[in-house]
Amino acid sequence: MQKIISSQDICADLQAQLQQLPHDKLFVLTDKHTYRHCLPLLADRLQLTDNQTIIIEAGDEHKNLDTLAQVWQSLCEGGATRHSLLVNLGGGMLTDLGGFAAATFKRGIRFINIPTTLLGAVDAAVGGKTGVNFLHFKNEIGAFAPAEAVLIHTPFFRTLTNEALLSGYAEMLKHALIDNQQEWAKVLHFDVQSFDFQKLQELLITSVKVKERIVSDDPFEQNIRKALNLGHTIGHAFESISMELGVPVAHGYAVAWGLMCELYLSCKLCGFPKDKLLITNAFIKQNYGAYHFGCGNYERLFEYMRHDKKNASANEINFTLLADVGQVKINQTASKQDIFESIDFMRESFGM
């Protein structure tokens, strides 16, 4: 089980982890943003040579096989062996891709994740899922491979835009919905237009522990880990079609809109309380705005859902739904008509 470390001194905490993980060579994977803004905070302690720093392009559009091959090539040219160690310093795209690169290079080398975004900290860096996008499908190629440790250092998040913070916060809302009423209320009442980073750290660590607890009970997503898919079946379809249309949306925004649809399905199919549906929707509407698309995109969205990895067959769309906050119902199915109705509900909520 990977260690989750709430770090107040990122250099000291990383140094401690490196001492506990014997390695012949150390490599650090960054994107162009984290190379400029984050790596300098660690570089003096790590004493890296040029060929031990791997720099990739930033952005989810680069989470693909070409970038993956670039990382593998850099590891080869840098003389990495099965006993080398990779530090992934970046957001969710980078830790997903870096984790998969580590899991597959020489059949697997160890790695540490240092998420530099709220979304990366609460979602991608924790839980052991790694992968890359393929043919417009999110994380179509990947593997379960937990990091040795995840170091969460909230000062990295202070440079993020409000949109980037909100993207991560959508995953915290999802965790609260599958956890309990108290955490759901706390997340809804936090001021996301003026982030208090001390309070955010408290909420974040609680949120990460929700995921950590679920993953430890079901590391390979055979059962209760599917709870973490709430909002993602339709959310991933929104994200995929946005990439196809050339106007990509942030992952957390797609998840927030997916939550609106899937809580509607929860209400219709599992008895989720309507008042809690409307309260959650009001929070999402106020902070995330609308996703604009037309009825002509419904069939394409459905095709993306049919390709979702959680489906037992191509003819059934698998959902995680809720009977109430904290009452998870995995392996639920919905008809095409119900799914389209849920998307109608979301669009009508925005007056579209």
Side-chain angles (χ1 to χ4, degrees):
M1 186 63 189
Q2 62 188 354
K3 289 184 282 188
I4 309 295
I5 299 166
S6 180
S7 176
Q8 300 300 319
D9 184 338
I10 188 63
C11 288
D13 290 331
L14 176 58
Q15 201 70 48
Q17 293 307 306
L18 295 178
Q19 290 173 359
Q20 294 174 30
L21 296 169
H23 51 277
D24 58 358
K25 286 194 175 182
L26 176 68
F27 294 83
V28 177
L29 176 64
T30 70
D31 62 34
K32 288 187 175 179
H33 297 324
T34 55
Y35 177 76
R36 287 199 310 271
H37 301 298
C38 303
L39 185 60
L41 300 178
L42 305 174
D44 288 344
R45 291 284 188 97
L46 296 177
Q47 297 180 333
L48 299 168
T49 61
D50 288 343
N51 68 347
Q52 289 176 283
T53 303
I54 305 169
I55 309 166
I56 62 174
E57 295 288 343
D60 205 67
E61 64 272 23
H62 298 291
K63 185 178 163 184
N64 55 36
L65 295 178
D66 289 339
T67 307
L68 180 66
Q70 177 192 338
V71 176
W72 285 332
Q73 181 176 345
S74 296
L75 290 170
C76 282
E77 292 174 350
T81 73
R82 294 184 70 181
H83 306 290
S84 298
L85 179 68
L86 178 65
V87 174
N88 295 316
L89 180 68
M93 171 274 194
L94 187 138
T95 58
D96 272 354
L97 186 144
F100 186 53
T104 48
F105 184 78
K106 295 188 183 295
R107 297 198 177 97
I109 62 174
R110 295 189 295 185
F111 65 98
I112 291 172
N113 284 337
I114 305 178
T116 58
T117 65
L118 179 57
L119 178 60
V122 76
D123 185 29
V126 179
K129 282 186 177 180
T130 68
V132 295
N133 303 333
F134 186 64
L135 299 179
H136 297 297
F137 297 111
K138 286 285 295 179
N139 302 320
E140 185 78 351
I141 311 296
F144 289 100
E148 296 295 324
V150 180
L151 278 62
I152 296 175
H153 185 60
T154 54
F156 282 135
F157 309 155
R158 293 180 181 274
T159 61
L160 299 177
T161 64
N162 196 252
E163 179 184 2
L165 289 167
L166 279 168
S167 187
Y169 202 78
E171 292 285 353
M172 293 175 63
L173 174 58
K174 178 203 73 178
H175 287 164
L177 280 163
I178 64 178
D179 192 24
N180 62 58
Q181 303 268 357
Q182 184 180 9
E183 292 307 317
W184 173 69
K186 284 182 183 178
V187 168
L188 288 180
H189 287 96
F190 182 77
D191 183 0
V192 295
Q193 296 304 320
S194 179
F195 276 84
D196 179 325
F197 283 90
Q198 190 58 46
K199 290 182 181 178
L200 177 64
Q201 181 167 355
E202 296 170 11
L203 282 178
L204 173 58
I205 296 304
T206 299
S207 187
V208 169
K209 286 181 178 178
V210 172
K211 182 170 185 177
E212 184 183 18
R213 184 175 68 246
I214 291 171
V215 170
S216 67
D217 290 341
D218 181 20
F220 299 110
E221 202 172 40
Q222 300 301 307
N223 195 355
I224 193 58
R225 181 168 178 159
K226 295 176 183 178
L228 298 169
N229 294 324
L230 178 68
H232 282 62
T233 299
I234 297 179
H236 274 165
F238 289 151
E239 198 171 1
S240 293
I241 200 168
S242 74
M243 287 191 288
E244 179 183 320
L245 296 174
V247 283
V249 298
H251 172 75
Y253 279 67
V255 168
W257 298 320
L259 285 172
M260 294 180 76
C261 298
E262 293 182 26
L263 289 181
Y264 174 87
L265 292 175
S266 296
C267 188
K268 180 172 183 177
L269 303 177
C270 300
F272 185 80
K274 187 174 181 181
D275 62 328
K276 294 175 183 175
L277 164 66
L278 296 178
I279 290 169
T280 307
N281 273 14
F283 178 87
I284 294 170
K285 285 167 59 179
Q286 179 180 350
N287 294 294
Y288 291 86
Y291 180 37
H292 294 280
F293 61 95
C295 296
N297 296 121
Y298 280 29
E299 290 292 341
R300 189 64 179 141
L301 285 166
F302 188 73
E303 282 303 304
Y304 278 119
M305 291 178 224
R306 288 182 64 238
H307 279 273
D308 194 287
K309 297 180 291 298
K310 300 179 291 297
N311 296 334
S313 74
N315 298 318
E316 286 191 335
I317 311 299
N318 188 291
F319 289 92
T320 291
L321 302 177
L322 299 177
D324 202 340
V325 174
Q327 295 182 25
V328 178
K329 300 290 185 182
I330 63 171
N331 297 329
Q332 302 297 301
T333 58
S335 68
K336 186 176 184 179
Q337 179 180 341
D338 285 338
I339 294 169
F340 284 6
E341 192 176 291
S342 76
I343 299 172
D344 282 339
F345 168 77
M346 184 201 77
R347 294 179 70 230
E348 288 165 5
S349 295
F350 290 116
M352 295 168 62

